[in-house]
Every structure is written in structure tokens, then in C-alpha cells.
Amino acid sequence: MTASNPLKPSERMKIPRQEPLEQDPQERSTNFLEVSFGFDMDRTLVEAQRCLDCKTPYCIDGCPVGIDIPGFIRLVLEKDYVGAVRKIREANYLPAICGRVCPQETQCEEVCVLAKKLTPVAIGKLERFVADYEMREKLFEAPVIKEHRDEKVAIVGSGPAGLTCAAELAQKGYRVTIFEALHATGGVLRYGIPEFRLPKEILDLETERIKALGVEIYTNFVIGRTATIDELFDEWGFSAIFLATGAGTPTFMGIPGENLSGVYSANEFLTRVNLMGAYRFPDTDTPIRIGKEVAVIGGGNTAMDAVRTAKRLGAEKAYLIYRRSRQEMPARQEEIHHAEQEGIQLLLLTNPTRIIGDAHNWVSAIECQRMELGEPDESGRRKPVPVKGSEFVLEVQTIVEAIGQKPNPIIQSTTPGLTTSKRGTVVTDEMQKTSRPGIFAGGDLARGGATVILAMRDGKQASVAIHTYLADKRAAQLPSHL
Amino acid sequence: MFRIVRTDVLAPTVTRFEIEAPFIARKRKAGNFVMVRLDNQGERIPLTLADSNPASGTITLIVQAVGKTTKQLCAMKAGDSILDVVGPLGTPTPIAMHGTVVCVGGGVGTAELYPIARALKEAGNTVLSIVGARSHDLVILEPEMKAISDALYVTTDDGSYGKKGFVTDQLKDLLDTVPGIGAVFAIGPLPMMKAVSTLTRPYNVHTLVSLNTIMVDGTGMCGGCRVTINGAMKFACVDGPEFDGHSVDFDELMMRNRTYADLERVSDQKHACRLAGTTQESLR
């Protein structure tokens, strides 16, 4: 028993995990409205009672940004929802986003004590509820910045890493400017993650909250083109720079037929729909082409987003083609489950070998072969091996390749002295420092393709490193007798 | 927002814009382009930078009204603002001393050719220019091209001005008669650039073309602009837009560029209806 929770641990363990409210699968597969409605207040209060408020809260270690999870849940039990979201914001400035897109099942919820024998506390859904409550009741107040500093810090890219780093540094009193190449902020949160998983209204609001800290944002500004990194230091007067340009360059399989009309990279397909609003064409000007039958290649979250988007755009059959088995799929379980509910057909242990076109150079089919799992490879996953003579042809008119992204090379190629890896990522140490003093990097640019929350972790880590770097610089400039 | 400070109609469907964009104006090089989005519903379209003035902080775009967005843009006036302009994008044209070069512009492609021809002239080349158009009224930038060329040849398809025929007819004459042509720069419609590349191949003259492709972001993110160059996949927005004409798979690109032809007509017609609707309302 604690002050906030009158139930004994044995009683708390009897409460079943609450299930979130969701839009009906049939209905939602034809619209772009949010799939999950999360918890209502009743479910939130019941679920919060399940937390055992452990003496050693493993969940905090399981959270890449170290949110005081038992602390915010205690406030939920006291019905102090705004206090709860402020507690989260001490560690993570973007709770409404994390409550929606974080893979809690492999992080905080995986290590929840209840997960061993029962089901873990639905930490993600609780986070989302308090963030949405604050938003709905318009109770957000920007944190007061106690001390203002003169140094200017530039953040390149306004995705999860950039936004987080900006929020942290602005709260420390630095003058922060974000440079964004696209016309809208958010990076992958904007162009990659669909409306039905993360409504853009929420992203807009979180962005406004970052501006409320005094952060300046330049959109339509490509670092490496509109201005270089060295110009930011020498002409613009920035003292430190955080690079967070993500992994925005698509990769293609390299099979015949990829340049036929009707073949998209996941980036192009999702950017057309999410950033450019192609699902509202011709009310918007950007078109998208969707066949009766669509195949998406890949097994990650991006592939899931693409195939579920294809279904919503009117595909009668939407296939997901993945060369390994379900266990090896990198996508979140929740996303795979949602996709299947919506009628997505998973073609597992299947690998495309060529794309077939018609007389007008349009995709008409995809040839695949069956795979079986062999010995484990470098990644520890069992390697898919083709089954001889198993080729078959699937009629499709649209193909989306979602097999991974690489960092965009524009900054690396225009910034002398910046060390990059073979994979094109910017090399950093554990403090996110790059090979050049004053330049830090994080998120997918340094990792090569990871999650929103790990990008946010890097942004936060970089803000600490930049703070230390600038403090050291300040100290070095002081006269020695002080 | 990016304010239009001046417009000039160069031909019946071709307008020149001067637009305030000080950061882009400072960095522009020959061969660069910008992505433009007119309003919140707008698409992003690539437009080549025809010129810039770092002192006044303006860039120059020359636009032919062919689709929904370019028609909407060409209806805009000085004082109006464009929502988004980003750049300068793409790899600038490699400007070197070749000796004698031939610069070939077809239609509105001449607008893209002009800054390159000027840079080549400034680098010390002897610049022979060919400007082609369907008819006299579509010939643009003739005085500008003349000023930076050692010789200028104009061709029209219908013979209404200059020499009757295609730019390739004139180019063949030059290749046959002028010794020491070191390079050819050709910008215009894809069939024209293909014809130029086919013509120059047996002469073994290095030929650079500028590819217009499908593009969404223009920074290497979507891959919609992928083209096959010597059998390898390249992105026109970052690896180009200029490529060795002898290595380009033009036929594939021409087919890819037709991907949205019917939907573009839908968008265009809707725009036309909206304009007609507004006119009727304002008449009431």
C-alpha cells in the first residue's frame, strides 16, 4: 500500500491489463483517422492501479530517455494528470508522440516486473492519456527558463532527435535555431509516420510547444546547400551544431524492373501521402497511383505503414512480402496485428526476384521465390535461403520497396573533416560527439535506421554534451587568475 | 514566404520571375534548381535557376505554363508571394575550358541553358549557341544569348523565324564544319536531348544534358527522380540533374515521366474550373 494506491500488491495483480479503444478494423481500413483512441479516464485509473511502484523500478532503465515512470503513475492515481505529464516532460519533451509511436513492448513494458508472470502495465497508453488530457484541456504551460545564455546552437533537422535536442537546450537557456530542409517540421514524424498512427495535428502542437521555448525554426533550408556547416560557424556565429538529418535516402533491391511506373520507394510513397496529402488528391495537387493489387516489400514499421496506407488508398488486395518469418519481422507486434486486422495479407518467407511490366512500362506483376530459414547470420537471425524452383508470379500494379534507408549524404559531402562509416552514417562517440569539435550528431544519421525514441535519446544526450562543451569553452576563455 | 518583385512575359506562355530569396541568391551556381510550392495544397515542383542577384537578394526563374502549378504560378504578379522556395539544389554544372563548345537550347530549356552558356563563356570558351523553338513567338532570351555567344543560330520548326528545322540540323552543320568542338551542352525537351545525344555520339563529342524528372522533395529523399545512367541507378536531384547524354536511358525516362499524365490533367482541369468559378462569382 502507498499513499496514492490503497490496493495491496496482491489485489493490484488481480486487475487485468486494460485494452485501449480502437477504431473498427473494417471501417478504419478505408479512412486515415487514428486507429487507436488510447484509454479513457476510467481505463487510465484502473490501469494505473496495476503499477506495483517497485522499489527498484526496472521500467526507468528500460526507457531510453529515463522517464520516472512510477513517479508519473503515482500522480495519475492522484488524478493530477497535468502533474503527471509535467513529470514525463522533465525527461521527454514530446510525450504525446512517444505515447503513440514508442515500442514500449521492447522497452519499459518488457522489463516491467508484472511482465514476467502476468502482463506489463500499459505504460505507453498511460503516457498518451496524460499528454492528450493536457492537450484537450489546454493546460500546457511552457517551462520557465531560469537562465539565458549568449551562445547560439544550430540544430540540423527537425525530426525527433532535433526537436528533443532543441527543447533541452532551449530549457538550459541557449539560443537555438533549427534548420529544416522540407517545408514542414517533424522529419520522419511528418513524412514517414501516417496520420492514422500519429495525427499531424499532434505533431504541429508539439512543434508549437518547442517554439514556445523561444526556438527559432527555418524551414526550406538545406544545410550543405543553402548554407554549409562551416558557414553556420563562421558567418552565422553558432557555437555548436547538432546534426540530426535522419536516414532519408531510400535503398532499392536492385532487381530488374524497378524503374517501371508504379514502383515506389517507401519514402516516396509515404511522403506523397503524409507530407503532401496525396490521399486528398485532387483537393491537393500531389497525385499518387494505387493499383487494385499492391505489394509492399519489407518487414519493418515503414513497410507496415506503407501497406496499411495502400489499403486505405483503395487497394483491394494489399500484400506484405517479407523474406524471413514472422518472428524475425522488425515491425512492432501491435502494427503487425493491426495490419492483419485490416486485411493485409502477409507473404512470409517470400523474396521478390523481378518486377514485370506491361507494354506501357507499367508494373503488371512481381515474380517471387519461396525462402526457407538456414543458419543464423551476422545479425543473429536465421538467414533466408531460396527454395529452388519455387518461383511464382503475383499480379500487382503498384509496388512499394520498404527495405531500409541510408543517411542523406549532402552534409557529409560538404563538411570537411567529418568522419563517416561505410554505411554512410556519421561516426560519433557515446556522447554524440563527431570527429569535428563543436559538431554533434545523433538519431538515424548516426544509427542508420532506428526508432523515434532512440533518436530522442540521442538528442537528449547531445544536449548534455553540448552544454558541457560550451561550459568548457566558456571556462577556457576566462582569465587564468579566476 | 517569398515575394515576387518583378514579372516579364517572354513568350505567350513563358514568364520570367524575380523572387526575393536572399540565401539562395548568394549560393546559386549554373545548373542549380529550386523546389517551389505555391500554397498549402500545392505540389512541390523543380524549377531551374536562370539567374540570381546576390546584391538585391533575388533569384530568377523562367517558367512555362504547362500544368496546373506552372499555370497558377504564371498567373501571379509582382507583389504576390510564393509559400515555399528551397535551394539551390542539385550538382552545379562542371564549368571547364573545352575550347569551343556548342550550347543547344530547346523551347523553355533555353532559360536553363543561359546561365551555363554564360559561365562557359566567362571560363574562356568559344561559345556557339543554338536556340530552337516551335515558332517565332516561342523563341526566348535571344538578345541575352546573343550577348554571351560568339555565334547564335536560331531554328524554328515552322520556319517562322531563323532557319527552318530542328536544332539537330544546325548542330550537325556545326559538327561537320567547325573544327575542335570540345563539348555540347543540350537542354530542352527529352526527345530533343535524346536526338542531340544520338547525333553527337558518332562524333565522339562529350555531351551534357539536363534531365527533368518526377520529383517530390528534390534533396535525395524520395527516389522518384531515379534514372538509369550507364546501367546504374542515379537520382537526378542530387547526382544530377546533368548527366552524360551518351549514358542516359532516355526511353525509360520518357515513359516514367508519363506516370501521372492523366492525374495531372485532372488536377489541371479542376484548377481551370475553379478559376472559371471565381470569375463567375466576381461578376455577380
Side-chain angles (χ1 to χ4, degrees):
Chain A
M1 268 192 355
T2 61
S4 50
N5 192 343
L7 299 180
K8 283 188 235 149
S10 60
E11 292 170 318
R12 294 183 221 175
M13 285 161 73
K14 285 199 185 101
I15 306 170
R17 177 174 159 124
Q18 301 297 293
E19 291 299 326
L21 301 158
E22 283 174 359
Q23 210 194 141
D24 173 69
Q26 273 270 288
E27 197 177 313
R28 75 182 187 231
S29 68
T30 61
N31 68 47
F32 278 84
L33 302 176
E34 199 171 7
V35 167
S36 174
F37 301 129
F39 284 163
D40 55 14
M41 198 178 287
D42 291 344
R43 283 177 175 79
T44 300
L45 288 169
V46 174
E47 185 65 26
Q49 285 182 332
R50 297 183 65 233
C51 176
L52 298 178
D53 204 358
C54 305
K55 277 212 176 68
T56 312
Y58 295 113
C59 53
I60 300 183
D61 296 333
C63 173
V65 294
I67 293 173
D68 178 1
I69 293 164
F72 99 76
I73 295 180
R74 276 196 295 274
L75 290 162
V76 170
L77 284 171
E78 289 164 17
K79 299 189 181 171
D80 180 4
Y81 307 120
V82 174
V85 74
R86 283 185 190 152
K87 173 63 74 184
I88 297 172
R89 203 169 279 118
E90 285 171 12
N92 168 7
Y93 203 75
L94 306 166
I97 293 173
C98 285
R100 287 174 164 81
V101 303
C102 251
Q104 289 95 6
E105 67 278 6
T106 60
Q107 297 175 163
C108 55
E109 294 183 18
E110 186 179 42
V111 292
C112 172
V113 169
L114 288 178
K116 280 187 197 139
K117 286 189 177 153
L118 302 159
T119 50
V121 175
I123 299 164
K125 295 291 184 287
L126 293 178
E127 177 181 33
R128 175 178 164 173
F129 175 83
V130 294
D132 286 2
Y133 176 87
E134 181 196 51
M135 213 175 269
R136 197 172 52 240
E137 303 295 326
K138 300 189 168 52
L139 294 169
F140 172 78
E141 281 171 33
V144 180
I145 296 162
K146 294 180 194 102
E147 188 184 356
H148 287 273
R149 299 171 200 275
D150 288 334
E151 292 105 327
K152 287 164 63 180
V153 181
I155 312 267
V156 186
S158 68
L163 290 178
T164 301
C165 190
E168 296 293 328
L169 287 171
Q171 289 179 84
K172 288 189 172 81
Y174 291 100
R175 292 158 65 195
V176 180
T177 305
I178 299 179
F179 294 94
E180 167 57 50
L182 290 172
H183 57 259
T185 54
V188 74
L189 303 170
R190 174 82 55 184
Y191 72 75
I193 301 181
E195 183 75 17
F196 58 83
R197 279 216 293 136
L198 176 65
K200 297 301 162 262
E201 206 186 335
I202 286 169
L203 177 58
D204 290 339
L205 216 83
E206 296 272 36
T207 309
E208 284 308 312
R209 289 170 176 186
I210 294 200
K211 285 189 191 160
L213 296 169
V215 172
E216 186 181 27
I217 302 180
Y218 281 87
T219 51
N220 294 317
F221 207 108
V222 184
I223 298 299
R225 292 275 187 263
T226 319
T228 62
I229 291 292
D230 284 305
E231 286 166 348
L232 292 186
F233 281 125
D234 302 339
E235 295 174 23
W236 291 64
F238 286 103
S239 304
I241 299 175
F242 178 52
L243 303 177
T245 51
T249 300
T251 50
F252 289 87
M253 295 187 73
I255 57 175
E258 283 179 315
N259 287 358
L260 291 166
S261 291
V263 182
Y264 291 96
S265 71
N267 266 5
E268 180 181 0
F269 188 75
L270 291 170
T271 299
R272 281 179 181 272
V273 178
N274 301 335
L275 174 71
M276 305 308 297
Y279 63 100
R280 293 188 283 121
F281 181 88
D283 289 338
T284 57
D285 296 343
T286 306
I288 191 141
R289 188 62 85 166
I290 201 84
K292 256 171 43 180
E293 289 136 328
V294 179
V296 174
I297 303 161
N301 287 318
T302 307
M304 288 297 158
D305 285 343
V307 76
R308 295 171 70 197
T309 296
K311 185 82 187 172
R312 283 161 173 77
L313 289 169
E316 288 171 20
K317 282 189 181 150
Y319 304 103
L320 185 106
I321 300 177
Y322 181 56
R323 62 198 181 121
R324 302 181 201 244
S325 73
R326 182 186 291 259
Q327 284 74 30
E328 288 84 19
M329 284 177 85
R332 286 184 69 189
Q333 282 306 314
E334 181 176 303
E335 304 306 327
I336 301 171
H337 172 66
H338 278 154
E340 285 191 300
Q341 278 185 329
E342 289 162 14
I344 306 300
Q345 295 181 45
L346 305 186
L347 300 178
L348 302 170
L349 290 165
T350 304
N351 200 35
T353 45
R354 74 187 164 106
I355 300 168
I356 302 161
D358 67 13
H360 306 286
N361 224 44
W362 271 95
V363 171
S364 60
I366 186 164
E367 184 193 77
C368 304
Q369 60 186 359
R370 299 277 181 217
M371 310 293 276
E372 58 191 10
L373 292 179
E375 296 299 309
D377 63 9
E378 322 81 74
S379 74
R381 297 181 296 180
R382 291 177 64 193
K383 201 180 150 131
V385 188
V387 177
K388 270 203 186 118
S390 65
E391 284 80 6
F392 66 98
V393 170
L394 190 68
E395 271 187 35
V396 291
Q397 299 79 42
T398 306
I399 291 172
V400 182
E401 294 195 24
I403 57 160
Q405 284 86 235
K406 297 178 294 198
N408 190 306
I410 292 179
I411 288 181
Q412 297 86 303
S413 63
T414 54
T415 311
L418 197 63
T419 305
T420 55
S421 74
K422 268 190 208 147
R423 297 180 302 144
T425 55
V426 171
V427 177
T428 70
D429 66 8
E430 69 281 3
M431 291 301 287
Q432 312 305 135
K433 276 187 213 163
T434 70
S435 55
R436 271 194 54 179
I439 304 182
F440 302 77
D444 281 0
L445 173 65
R447 292 174 180 270
T451 58
V452 167
I453 187 68
L454 287 173
M456 291 168 64
R457 188 218 76 95
D458 291 355
K460 207 176 157 183
Q461 183 66 66
S463 76
V464 174
I466 289 170
H467 185 50
T468 310
Y469 169 78
L470 294 176
D472 288 351
K473 243 178 112 173
R474 263 195 307 271
Q477 279 163 3
L478 290 175
S480 55
H481 62 270
L482 290 175
Chain B
M1 295 287 263
F2 298 79
R3 202 168 65 92
I4 299 169
V5 294
R6 184 194 161 120
T7 63
D8 297 288
V9 175
L10 301 186
T13 55
V14 181
T15 308
R16 176 167 56 201
F17 294 89
E18 256 178 64
I19 300 161
E20 277 175 2
F23 296 129
I24 303 171
R26 278 182 56 187
K27 304 284 284 193
R28 178 208 68 97
K29 290 200 175 81
N32 281 144
F33 67 96
V34 287
M35 295 299 293
V36 168
R37 192 175 76 122
L38 298 182
D39 55 36
N40 271 321
Q41 282 68 47
E43 60 182 334
R44 294 167 64 99
I45 60 161
L47 293 170
T48 301
L49 285 156
D51 207 343
S52 69
N53 184 340
S56 64
T58 55
I59 56 171
T60 305
L61 301 177
I62 295 176
V63 184
Q64 183 168 31
V66 284
K68 190 260 173 189
T69 302
T70 47
K71 283 179 188 169
Q72 193 183 338
L73 176 56
C74 286
M76 291 171 82
K77 300 275 172 267
D80 292 345
S81 285
I82 298 170
L83 187 57
D84 299 301
V85 180
V86 60
L89 302 172
T91 304
T93 314
I95 300 295
M97 178 61 190
H98 300 277
T100 299
V101 296
V102 184
C103 292
V104 189
V108 76
T110 302
E112 305 176 26
L113 183 71
Y114 170 67
I116 296 168
R118 192 175 65 188
L120 287 164
K121 179 71 192 166
E122 283 163 4
N125 291 282
T126 299
V127 176
L128 310 178
S129 298
I130 306 170
V131 168
R134 282 203 312 276
S135 56
H136 185 192
D137 57 346
L138 295 171
V139 173
I140 59 166
L141 300 181
E142 192 189 352
E144 286 87 347
M145 286 298 289
K146 198 162 197 163
I148 50 108
S149 302
D150 293 274
L152 175 71
Y153 307 88
V154 180
T155 65
T156 52
D157 298 4
D158 64 358
S160 54
Y161 188 64
K163 203 187 264 183
K164 181 176 168 31
F166 298 119
V167 288
T168 39
D169 303 332
Q170 182 63 55
L171 178 60
K172 188 168 188 321
D173 275 0
L174 294 178
L175 289 166
D176 288 336
T177 56
V178 179
I181 292 175
V184 170
F185 293 77
I187 306 185
L190 286 171
M192 180 213 107
M193 292 191 285
K194 181 187 174 188
V196 167
S197 303
T198 307
L199 172 66
T200 59
R201 193 190 305 266
Y203 292 88
N204 215 3
V205 175
H206 178 61
T207 301
L208 212 68
V209 296
S210 177
L211 302 182
N212 42 324
T213 64
I214 290 170
M215 250 180 226
V216 184
D217 65 294
T219 61
M221 213 184 92
C222 75
C225 65
R226 59 193 187 274
V227 287
T228 302
I229 308 295
N230 244 345
M233 184 189 289
K234 298 282 177 192
F235 290 176
C237 68
V238 286
D239 301 319
E242 286 156 15
F243 293 99
D244 167 24
H246 299 149
S247 306
V248 174
D249 186 338
F250 283 102
D251 294 337
E252 177 189 86
L253 178 57
M254 284 190 261
M255 284 196 275
R256 265 188 76 73
N257 278 2
R258 282 199 287 269
T259 301
Y260 298 105
D262 56 337
L263 294 175
E264 279 159 7
R265 275 194 297 277
V266 168
S267 186
D268 194 14
Q269 278 160 10
K270 194 173 149 90
H271 177 62
C273 291
R274 221 161 23 210
L275 284 183
T278 342
T279 320
Q280 276 169 11
E281 271 168 36
S282 56
L283 284 174
R284 268 184 220 135

